[in-house]
Amino acid sequence: MAMKKKPVTGMKDILPREMEIRDYAIGLIKETYKTFGFTSVETPAVEHIENLSSNQGGENEKLIFKILKRGDKLLSAVGKMAETVPESADAEKVPDTSILTDSGLRYDLTLPLSRYYSNNANDLPSPFKALQMGNVWRADRPQRGRFRQFMQCDIDILGEQDIVAEIELILATTTLLGRLDFKNFTIRINDRRILKAMAAYSGFAEESYDDVFITLDKMDKIGLEGVKEELLGAGYPAESVEKYIELFSAVTGGAGDGETNDTLAALKLISEKLGDFLDSGISDNLETIISSVEGAKAADFRMKFDPTLVRGMSYYTGPIFEISMDEYGGSVGGGGRYDEMIGKFTGQATPAVGFSIGFERIVMLLLENDFKVPGAGEKKAYLVEKGMPSEKMQKIMKLAADERKEGRIVNISIMKKNKKFQKEKMQQEGYTEFVEFFTDRDF
Amino acid sequence: MAMKKKPVTGMKDILPREMEIRDYAIGLIKETYKTFGFTSVETPAVEHIENLSSNQGGENEKLIFKILKRGDKLLSAVGKMAETVPESADAEKVPDTSILTDSGLRYDLTLPLSRYYSNNANDLPSPFKALQMGNVWRADRPQRGRFRQFMQCDIDILGEQDIVAEIELILATTTLLGRLDFKNFTIRINDRRILKAMAAYSGFAEESYDDVFITLDKMDKIGLEGVKEELLGAGYPAESVEKYIELFSAVTGGAGDGETNDTLAALKLISEKLGDFLDSGISDNLETIISSVEGAKAADFRMKFDPTLVRGMSYYTGPIFEISMDEYGGSVGGGGRYDEMIGKFTGQATPAVGFSIGFERIVMLLLENDFKVPGAGEKKAYLVEKGMPSEKMQKIMKLAADERKEGRIVNISIMKKNKKFQKEKMQQEGYTEFVEFFTDRDF
């Protein structure tokens, strides 16, 4: 059978130039998060199909790479499935292929972490501060810059209900971004309970909240007027829509794009407007998170209360946050509190907050900005004439060993006929010094 | 549906203690191999099923985790497969499930690297020194200490036909092992062409070589006499078996276990005995490899020519090598030259040599020896009383930020009711210093 040279559809081979940046970023991530007391964990790439299909993953559950059963189990499943294949050409009936699979590739790191914690809680500290980096897979439609295998990088604090967890996550993430030379970015913050209180205050029915939020989420694209039109078009009571839009308008000073100059004043205003619809502790907590992060931040960014921030996943229960960067249109990371997911495994609610950075987007931005990995070190090339006698080869290897011990990069290769071309190519790879060894000369 | 707490069969959750060692080893691997001029590469975990099933993987091809086709392609495959399901209860007929899959999880890193090189050769230096670390998957029968997902760590030099490649690989690997505190280990070395010459010299038919080598490979378990009996039992001519055993006996001084005191003398002896059956350049090259490594080595180990070393994979074409450690019965790594694999993709032969370390076994040995990760740094815990006012929380976060900037580990958590127990638990995690912050006290 002919061998295929390209990677499978939608996945990519990573070349040395990008890997250098990835390796550097991975090292910096581990080093930075460690100073905040996070410890690394790893979960298998393969997860039970039951867990992957448990409605925790939203749209991602449609994108699972499923793994075929093996051996007798596969044959038995095939037999059973055959019975479900339509006998007539009835287009409505499709065979039940779900019985062919018992597992799949994880589509995120949050679900496996919840399983991990419920499986190992007795061996873990409480609260538990976890750093998880690893690939995830989604059978998305292939498109530029989006791949079917990509790295995620999550920090989570499990078992801590106090907002110290939110503060720590935001400080850790922003400190890392600062060390990667990112500047002038924004952390937008909101609370799912504020979102709900705003909808309740306006008189929307509780079962329509999620749909209302999907429209609200488009604010940065269609503006306040666009949101209003879409809500009216969807048939919500005009009175509710009016009240809802007025709230946002008041907070944003009518700017219509969620912009506000004084973030704490905006938070205070919304809290006053919502009155009994919102427990005042919730806005006080957001205020403390914002102030504490602003007071201790180690990077050039600002915190912004943004009542239009929704975050897609329905599992969030409290504060939610997102990183916005001017250089990159969308979000380059985000997270929030999800106090109810782990309970789905353990039967016992465990408070949890997480913050995920968009590792691939960050690497892409670093590549585009021609980021130079600091301290890459001196790169030296030894060019050795072919047929070097054994004793002389020993000497060359010993010289190299001594240099490498000092941390220098020494690349030993056989001298080519076109030595000039060989050196030019190596210079492109960053080799600045060349040492030549000939069979008939002493060294 | 009920959620499953355990990982899928044969895979494992990795706890912080082990991850600390893994992270340290990964960092050291990258740092050490980099000084030898290796650059990182990454290939997707998912590979074309055609490539995985191309007979490069030996027994591993039976252990592939296969990925189900998706969407219409799956439905079409199911329809086709249904036609192959036996209509009667004829046990001989089994449905052709291979059409259900288009890809699978890689079972090693060598095959994906060969595909990677053939896909990207124009963008890569020549020779190309690649470091690849990543998980591989094999649906092996689950057993103690062996998992269905495990990390491999390979270095390969592609496009270099000179033995400088073998020397560099062995020096890089042994330097790494030395830095991980391994001592007194052995690198056994042989050459597939010496193996073949010995079989030819003894008069075995060429088509039986692979079977003869499978028996020879058992030398360390069943001894020279055991090998002799098994070969005779398999029906090989007594004369050939006699001659073959005599060869090994001569080289090992009759010790019967492949042991020899003077490795270069043994190499010389075998070369003399084989005469015209072996190109003398082959044994000269092994001699140069052994001497050069011995002369430049940066760790406590010895090189040993071992004519009984076989290495399983049939794709090897030249020198082969393996790491033996007293603490661990089997091999903890190995490799060799495979000059013909890349040609299967490109149609053009490209010389290649690789050395793979048994990452999981090495981590296991470090764990068992209670390895202490050096320079783990001072670990400090801040315990914060619940309900800390916003201004004071800011101050605490600022104090922590300043300490973290210096590289210290600072873990901030909320003070628990049983503070004594909380501290004891944290001490077990290595926290040595505690700072307490109360809402009603100044700090």
Side-chain angles (χ1 to χ4, degrees), chain A residues 6 13 23 40 48 126, chain B residues 6 13 23 40 48 115 416:
Chain A
K6 298 274 169 211
D13 288 334
D23 278 349
S40 295
H48 299 284
S126 172
Chain B
K6 298 276 170 208
D13 288 334
D23 278 349
S40 295
H48 299 285
R115 188 196 52 66
K416 293 189 180 172

Side-chain angles (χ1 to χ4, degrees), chain A residues 219-291:
Chain A
M219 180 79 90
D220 55 344
K221 290 201 191 77
I222 61 179
L224 198 56
E225 272 305 310
V227 169
K228 183 177 174 179
E229 278 168 37
E230 189 167 314
L231 288 176
L232 288 172
Y236 292 107
E239 193 192 349
S240 291
V241 175
E242 206 63 59
K243 224 173 157 187
Y244 199 49
I245 295 300
E246 205 182 274
L247 255 189
F248 287 104
S249 187
V251 174
T252 60
D257 60 352
E259 275 303 322
T260 169
N261 290 320
D262 187 338
T263 215
L264 290 181
L267 186 57
K268 199 158 183 286
L269 181 69
I270 208 127
S271 166
E272 282 167 8
K273 288 239 172 210
L274 293 177
D276 284 347
F277 283 95
L278 184 72
D279 175 352
S280 67
I282 291 168
S283 49
D284 289 351
N285 275 344
L286 273 200
E287 191 256 306
T288 303
I289 296 173
I290 293 170
S291 311

